[in-house]
Amino acid sequence: MTERNRSRGIGRRQLLAAGSTAALVAGVGGFPAILKAQAPAIKVGILHPVTGPLAYSGTQARAGATMAIEAINAAGGIKSMGGAKLEAVLGDAQSKPDVGAAEVEKMNEAGVSAIIGPFASGIALATTQAAAKHNIPHIVDVGVVDQVVTRGLANTFRFGPGLAKVVDTAIANLVALNAASATKAKTVMIVHEESAFGSGMAKTLNEQLPQKGFEILETISHPNPTRDFDNIALKIKARKPDLIIPSNYYGEFVLLARTLRQQKVEAKAIYSILGGAASNFRFVNEFEDAAQYIIDCNHWVDPRKPEAAALRKKVEDQKLFFTYEVFLNHECVRLLADALERGKSSKREDITAALTSSSWAGHMMPYGPTKFVNGQNEGAAPVNTQIIGKDIKVIFPAAFADAKPVFPMPARG
Amino acid sequence: MMPSLRLSGQRALWAMAGVAIIGVVLPLLLRSDFWLNFAIMVLFFTVLGQAWNILGGYGGQFSFGHAAFFGTGAYVTAVLQVKFGINPWLGFVLAGIGGGLVGAAIGFLSFRYGLRGSYFALVTLAFAEVLRILANAAAFTGGGVGTLIPLKQTAANFQFVDKTGFYFVIFALMLIGLLLAYWLENSRFGARLMAIRENEDAARALGVNAFAIKLGAISLSGALAGLAGAFYAQYFLYLDPRLAYGPGISVEALLVPIIGGMGTIFGPLLGATVLHVVGEIARKVMGDAVGLNLALYGMVLVAMVLFLPNGIAGLARRQRLKPKEERL
Amino acid sequence: MLEFSILLPALLNGLTIGAVYALVALGLTLIYGVLHIINFAHGSMLMLALYGVFFLHALFGIDPYVSLLIVPPALFVLGYALQRGVIGRASHGKDENILLVTLGLAIVMDNLALYFWKADTRTIDTPYGFDTVDLGIATIAVPKAVAFVAALLICCALWLLMARTDLCKAIRALAKERQGAQLVGINVPHLFAMSFGIGAACVGAAACLLLPSFYVAPDVGQVFVLIAFTVVVLGGMGSFAGALIGGMIIGVTESIGGLFLGESLGQLGIFVIFIAVLLFRPTGLLGHRA
């Protein structure tokens, strides 16, 4: 069983990597030694929307998760379990909740110990529910909508922050930014995509920003896809807000940023929240000029931690962009590995118990040790980044910022 | 020309009885939740496809907008439950009514103005889009954030702990769909509807009230699609405007019966089964290569059209009725 | 009120974006007018063309406007081959089969693109990408101004082509009277494929003009396909001038709707007009009764 699974699932690369060691062992101790050394592989469901409209994020997420699995296996697997290897069972939710739920059923029968995924909130609602029926621990990688963890499903763990936390942090940092600067931003325009995360964010902002003394001039919701942002730029130009707060998917964000630049729209800051491209190196590389000084409140790594830089290099060596989908999934796999290491068991209920009591501090996120309360990692928080030159710098929280915020941003002429 | 495999009268009833028996026994044999879920999804798309088949297959009115009915049914159940605490079983019935009413409204407008063929198809598409945009803007649907039905797994709440419960609901709905199709094939209403499909002007000349018949068909079709929508809402507990009213559902709804055999009782069941099996096989064959499984699925689709011009049901007929077909 | 102060520039924006819609719709209207088929693969052909333009630029440094000499002919070949080799054969004389086969082709093309080129959203940076033309009342991005003028030119060119050449006279005859055309010895499958090819070439041209101000991803076709249908119906299926005017109307409606109702709800205007035209004038603004 073990041998069969290993050779089928782990893939050629893994076998090659293990090959040299195996040959050595075989040479010294003979064939039976390998069998003894080989603990059963632990199957992990890696479930993302790698086709359909969310394919980009899904692919990035899958890359992050599989890289982590390869790294853990290469480093000797789960040591407390006799060096047991992780085996990825890949799933494609096709950007649809019903397909995501069907994939969970398939993974259940494939005998996965846990599931990591599935990027989008709408899919996460379906997959966590399906996984709960089989008591499969389900680590949610992104899925920011708050209801993902507030439904009382004991199997659901969200490593990253939820929408409420993101918006709270964004507002707090905005207030801090204002306080530290001579020029104060007061008026705001929000440009958000119309699906769950953009609308949810706009709703919360509309409730909270006025309490902090900001005046919302207008909230513009736009569909996905939006083909043209000229009119939105016109409106912004006419209303002259101090702050532009965008929240959109990648394609729309790029179009918006380009149009703002083209129409020479000036503001004190473009302060995006979960901006689709604002902390994406592809955007920075391709449109350095339009991207300059855009601030984003988003998932990001702790720049002080060497693992973060190492992972970024590894990702870029594979000709991929270092985006939040990659590192969040990478760290979700390591979170699971930590739970396995401590629980010494690949049984679903043991993993759930180990995750519930998790206090893992070895990650590259700016979170502190993990602590799950009703499935939400309480320490999780976004950070503020700003595009400065060709790099994405952390500007908040001050404790580990690697650049000073440029605010207000200089006129771009 | 009479399209494809026609199991009529007695034979169709026997076949339905067979399907009913297999369907009841199936969950006892399926020890696997994956396959049970698979069966549920096949039946779900069968119901949706049967809804389309009533209007498109028997009535010859091609809709690209069945999401309008499906989404309405889904939202009726979800919103009544979340906002007004109305029991989803009652919501289920109301979803059928809601879907039927939307069908009647769209039908009234488009048939009143004599839209046929691709014009009718495009207008239904536009209506579905209008509903999607409205659902996105309205507050009571939760707008773009969507509507989440609270998790409360009791049968009285139309949320079964065991998937078998969902299975029997959708299976019953599928049987109702079969009976409807059977009724269409054996009733005056159905005969008139099919006469309109073959030649509307001729049917009119013979005194058929084409407007009323088509209106009846689209309402019936809308009601069945609305029920499918309510089922979807209860099974997945989450809706947003794109899931409910997006073009994806409209395409699935027409794919299933056309592949299976339009205007046949069992066409949608055949179509949904084959499409899902093909989808699963494509996944197996292509493994984890991103996109290739769907590409293969698309190729099979193209190949089916190339080689099975009358759907899968047409295949059976071709063998049996070969000599007769020459005459066409 | 703010909305009125920017009404004029918004109108102008609507016209330029409408020209792009018209460009995409030109090919669709030709295909519809002659073959009477609803081509679901239209968006996917646009996607392939956009990738063509993108890679010509990325790999060989060819400017998208220079690609106008390369991509449309390539798309013509693709379109001709698809119609002759697959769509025509699959139709078996039934509309639903054509619908299905173009749908299948769209799924194949989109997912092969996903497999080969990944899901990344790709953009190109051209020297003129951020340049604008100041018209006094509004500043228009250069790529959009170019697309606007090109749309007018292409529309005129197509019209001339259809009015003057023998080939296209035959196509028009075919569009009107299929059996009659067959009787007088017109090679129907060839002409169908020619029409489909020309329609595809239009999509190729649209891609060259679109990419400098847009992006390409495997599912980009869906961005335009629905709107292109709307334009075709509005203008009258098969009418080039109709597609142009229809595109402008849709562009302006979207623009003005967005201005007063917000971009999300503003889309409503497009479909309301669409439904109204279908109900009250189903042949479209410039269409003829079939």
Side-chain angles (χ1 to χ4, degrees):
Chain A
M1 182 75 189
T2 311
E3 280 302 312
R4 193 170 60 95
N5 284 341
R6 206 178 67 92
S7 54
R8 192 189 58 183
I10 299 186
R12 229 168 302 146
R13 205 174 324 171
Q14 213 55 55
L15 279 178
L16 286 176
S20 51
T21 337
L24 199 73
V25 174
V28 176
F31 192 62
I34 316 172
L35 285 181
K36 225 192 325 182
Q38 201 64 57
I42 302 160
K43 294 185 181 181
V44 184
I46 305 296
L47 174 55
H48 294 104
V50 292
T51 55
L54 300 170
Y56 176 71
S57 289
T59 313
Q60 291 286 94
R62 179 186 273 189
T66 47
M67 280 167 87
I69 289 179
E70 281 166 18
I72 288 165
N73 288 342
I78 306 299
K79 295 184 185 71
S80 73
M81 295 173 67
K85 300 280 196 273
L86 298 183
E87 177 191 327
V89 177
L90 299 179
D92 175 13
Q94 295 181 1
S95 305
K96 294 179 195 159
D98 55 323
V99 180
E103 288 291 273
V104 170
E105 298 298 344
K106 198 186 281 178
M107 288 178 168
N108 175 48
E109 310 220 324
V112 298
S113 296
I115 290 175
I116 292 169
F119 179 69
S121 300
I123 304 175
L125 290 167
T127 57
T128 50
Q129 201 174 300
K133 273 203 61 187
H134 305 293
N135 298 314
I136 308 173
H138 188 319
I139 302 180
V140 176
D141 54 347
V142 182
V144 290
V145 168
D146 288 303
Q147 283 87 340
V148 170
V149 288
T150 55
R151 297 199 291 171
L153 296 174
N155 67 320
T156 306
F157 301 90
R158 185 167 61 194
F159 179 60
L163 201 58
K165 177 75 184 173
V166 173
V167 176
D168 283 351
T169 313
I171 292 177
N173 289 347
L174 183 58
V175 171
L177 204 62
N178 242 351
S181 161
T183 37
K184 310 286 183 208
K186 187 171 169 8
T187 54
V188 176
M189 266 176 92
I190 301 167
V191 182
H192 69 91
E193 63 86 33
E194 66 181 12
S195 84
F197 93 88
S199 308
M201 193 216 60
K203 201 171 149 207
T204 323
L205 281 178
N206 270 290
E207 287 158 10
Q208 298 194 4
L209 274 181
Q211 295 171 18
K212 305 280 180 189
F214 291 94
E215 183 195 345
I216 298 176
L217 297 178
E218 194 173 351
T219 301
I220 302 174
S221 152
H222 66 78
N224 300 309
T226 290
R227 292 166 288 263
D228 185 66
F229 278 92
D230 268 344
N231 274 345
I232 291 178
L234 266 178
K235 269 191 183 175
I236 297 176
K237 209 172 172 181
R239 291 211 195 271
K240 297 190 177 56
D242 297 333
L243 289 175
I244 302 165
I245 302 188
S247 187
N248 353 55
Y249 288 111
Y250 184 89
E252 280 75 26
F253 192 97
V254 170
L255 287 185
L256 173 65
R258 267 167 43 171
T259 311
L260 289 177
R261 183 76 190 91
Q262 204 159 39
Q263 298 286 344
K264 304 193 169 52
V265 178
E266 301 287 350
K268 291 198 172 69
I270 298 174
Y271 190 94
S272 88
I273 302 179
L274 298 177
S279 38
N280 186 317
F281 283 106
R282 172 185 280 278
F283 175 55
V284 181
N285 283 355
E286 288 176 359
F287 296 101
E288 193 183 332
D289 184 42
Q292 233 22 248
Y293 306 121
I294 291 181
I295 300 175
D296 191 17
C297 184
N298 211 330
H299 311 283
W300 202 249
V301 290
D302 184 340
R304 292 169 303 180
K305 298 188 177 167
E307 301 98 312
L311 181 64
R312 179 174 165 188
K313 187 173 176 316
K314 206 167 129 189
V315 170
E316 286 173 355
D317 283 349
Q318 295 195 8
K319 301 245 180 299
L320 292 173
F321 286 98
F322 187 59
T323 62
Y324 70 88
E325 296 95 341
V326 177
F327 55 72
L328 274 179
N329 275 279
H330 189 272
E331 295 308 89
C332 284
V333 170
R334 291 181 63 214
L335 167 70
L336 176 66
D338 172 74
L340 287 165
E341 202 71 76
R342 284 185 298 108
K344 300 183 182 60
S345 158
S346 60
K347 282 215 193 77
R348 291 169 180 175
E349 52 274 24
D350 294 340
I351 296 174
T352 302
L355 282 170
T356 309
S357 66
S358 167
S359 63
W360 176 51
H363 53 74
M364 62 181 76
M365 306 303 294
Y367 293 170
T370 50
K371 176 168 178 268
F372 286 100
V373 178
N374 297 326
Q376 173 60 42
N377 178 14
E378 289 289 293
V383 307
N384 276 52
T385 57
Q386 186 166 28
I387 298 170
I388 298 175
K390 271 207 172 299
D391 208 356
I392 297 173
K393 296 287 190 187
V394 172
I395 53 166
F396 276 112
F400 54 86
D402 57 0
K404 284 248 169 293
V406 181
F407 175 83
M409 66 186 205
R412 299 193 290 183
Chain B
M1 175 185 124
M2 289 279 116
S4 37
L5 172 68
R6 173 134 305 186
L7 283 179
S8 52
Q10 210 71 20
R11 271 222 308 275
L13 284 178
W14 280 116
M16 265 188 263
V19 167
I21 292 167
I22 294 170
V24 170
V25 181
L26 193 68
L28 303 174
L29 301 175
L30 288 178
R31 296 273 161 158
S32 138
D33 258 18
F34 170 72
W35 287 109
L36 189 57
N37 181 64
F38 185 85
I40 291 172
M41 291 322 284
V42 166
L43 292 174
F44 163 73
F45 282 110
T46 303
V47 173
L48 195 63
Q50 193 68 271
W52 190 94
N53 194 32
I54 291 172
L55 182 66
Y58 288 103
Q61 312 298 313
F62 276 44
S63 148
F64 286 179
H66 258 59
F69 319 135
F70 169 87
T72 302
Y75 267 119
V76 163
T77 315
V79 170
L80 288 180
Q81 197 175 165
V82 174
K83 300 275 172 195
F84 304 102
I86 289 176
N87 182 284
W89 286 107
L90 179 57
F92 188 54
V93 176
L94 295 175
I97 296 173
L101 286 178
V102 170
I106 293 177
F108 180 82
L109 277 175
S110 31
F111 297 140
R112 181 90 189 70
Y113 288 94
L115 292 187
R116 297 184 195 178
S118 46
Y119 292 106
F120 174 74
L122 290 169
V123 88
T124 52
L125 177 76
F127 275 114
E129 278 297 293
V130 164
L131 288 173
R132 185 184 64 75
I133 294 165
L134 290 177
N136 214 330
F140 68 91
T141 58
V145 179
T147 299
L148 183 67
I149 299 172
L151 193 63
K152 204 178 120 208
Q153 291 179 321
T154 61
N157 200 34
F158 202 155
Q159 289 181 30
F160 304 96
V161 182
D162 191 343
K163 278 195 169 45
T164 319
F166 282 111
Y167 173 86
F168 281 114
V169 172
I170 194 69
F171 180 68
L173 213 50
M174 195 277 298
L175 280 183
I176 291 173
L178 288 185
L179 288 171
L180 270 176
Y182 177 81
W183 174 72
L184 284 181
E185 292 199 352
N186 295 283
S187 66
R188 286 171 68 94
F189 177 82
R192 287 173 175 162
L193 186 62
M194 287 186 274
I196 292 169
R197 174 187 68 195
E198 300 308 328
N199 188 337
E200 184 165 343
D201 298 323
R204 262 181 224 276
L206 291 174
V208 173
N209 183 348
F211 176 71
I213 298 286
K214 288 198 284 184
L215 199 59
I218 197 173
S219 308
L220 204 58
S221 176
L224 194 56
L227 291 173
F231 177 83
Y232 180 95
Q234 287 307 118
Y235 195 53
F236 294 107
L237 302 180
Y238 174 70
L239 283 181
D240 69 19
R242 192 164 285 273
L243 290 173
Y245 288 122
I249 282 289
S250 299
V251 169
E252 296 270 9
L254 66 91
L255 206 53
V256 161
I258 298 182
I259 281 292
M262 292 196 308
T264 62
I265 298 177
F266 294 98
L269 182 59
L270 280 174
T273 311
V274 167
L275 284 173
H276 273 72
V277 169
V278 167
E280 242 356 90
I281 292 175
R283 274 169 181 253
K284 271 267 181 294
V285 172
M286 289 303 172
D288 296 323
V290 171
L292 280 192
N293 59 332
L294 288 174
L296 179 64
Y297 176 84
M299 285 176 204
V300 173
L301 206 62
V302 172
M304 279 182 171
V305 185
L306 276 170
F307 302 114
L308 300 176
N310 296 311
I312 302 160
L315 182 71
R317 180 191 62 145
R318 201 150 76 181
Q319 281 164 355
R320 197 137 16 88
L321 303 181
K322 196 91 191 195
K324 255 194 205 165
E325 199 183 30
E326 304 303 333
R327 175 187 84 173
L328 305 171
Chain C
M1 202 175 149
L2 169 79
E3 274 73 20
F4 290 100
S5 69
I6 54 177
L7 191 59
L8 218 54
L11 224 119
L12 211 64
N13 276 339
L15 288 177
T16 54
I17 185 77
V20 175
Y21 297 165
L23 272 173
V24 180
L26 276 176
L28 197 63
T29 206
L30 174 66
I31 292 169
Y32 192 90
V34 179
L35 287 87
H36 299 286
I37 63 173
I38 292 186
N39 176 20
F40 266 120
H42 199 70
S44 303
M45 295 199 305
L46 177 69
M47 178 272 298
L48 286 183
L50 282 165
Y51 270 110
V53 181
F54 173 82
F55 283 115
L56 284 173
H57 181 268
L59 301 178
F60 308 108
I62 297 175
D63 187 274
Y65 297 141
V66 179
S67 293
L68 274 171
L69 300 172
I70 307 167
V71 173
L75 261 285
F76 173 83
V77 174
L78 174 76
Y80 188 96
L82 276 183
Q83 167 63 26
R84 199 85 200 250
V86 184
I87 302 174
R89 282 169 204 268
S91 78
H92 305 287
K94 287 185 178 177
D95 288 348
E96 69 265 24
N97 284 339
I98 295 178
L99 193 95
L100 224 56
V101 81
T102 53
L103 190 67
L105 285 174
I107 297 175
V108 173
M109 289 193 241
D110 287 4
N111 286 289
L112 284 182
L114 179 65
Y115 177 72
F116 285 111
W117 302 317
K118 308 289 171 240
D120 300 45
T121 301
R122 296 165 194 258
T123 45
I124 58 171
D125 200 5
T126 52
Y128 46 82
F130 282 87
D131 291 350
T132 50
V133 195
D134 198 344
L135 295 178
I137 49 165
T139 34
I140 302 284
V142 165
K144 282 183 185 158
V146 172
F148 182 81
V149 175
L152 295 178
L153 290 178
I154 291 174
C155 184
C156 290
L158 272 176
W159 184 78
L160 278 177
L161 188 76
M162 289 311 256
R164 296 290 158 83
T165 62
D166 283 346
L167 165 78
C168 296
K169 277 182 193 151
I171 289 183
R172 277 188 309 151
L174 192 57
K176 281 217 174 74
E177 188 56 61
R178 195 171 296 194
Q179 275 165 346
Q182 214 152 9
L183 285 177
V184 297
I186 289 175
N187 181 350
V188 174
H190 170 68
L191 275 191
F192 273 174
M194 285 300 285
S195 318
F196 204 92
I198 296 173
C202 293
V203 168
C208 299
L209 295 161
L210 183 59
L211 194 61
S213 60
F214 209 67
Y215 58 81
V216 56
D219 60 345
V220 75
Q222 286 156 24
V223 176
F224 289 96
V225 73
L226 203 55
I227 211 89
F229 276 127
T230 321
V231 169
V232 168
V233 170
L234 187 61
M237 301 195 189
S239 161
F240 297 127
L244 192 65
I245 295 171
M248 304 283 181
I249 292 177
I250 293 293
V252 169
T253 307
E254 187 181 40
S255 186
I256 303 299
L259 198 60
F260 289 98
L261 298 173
E263 305 300 317
S264 282
L265 197 54
Q267 300 276 311
L268 208 56
I270 297 176
F271 293 103
V272 169
I273 289 196
F274 183 64
I275 291 170
V277 167
L278 274 171
L279 294 183
F280 300 115
R281 199 183 152 79
T283 52
L285 298 175
L286 298 183
H288 309 285
R289 196 158 274 284

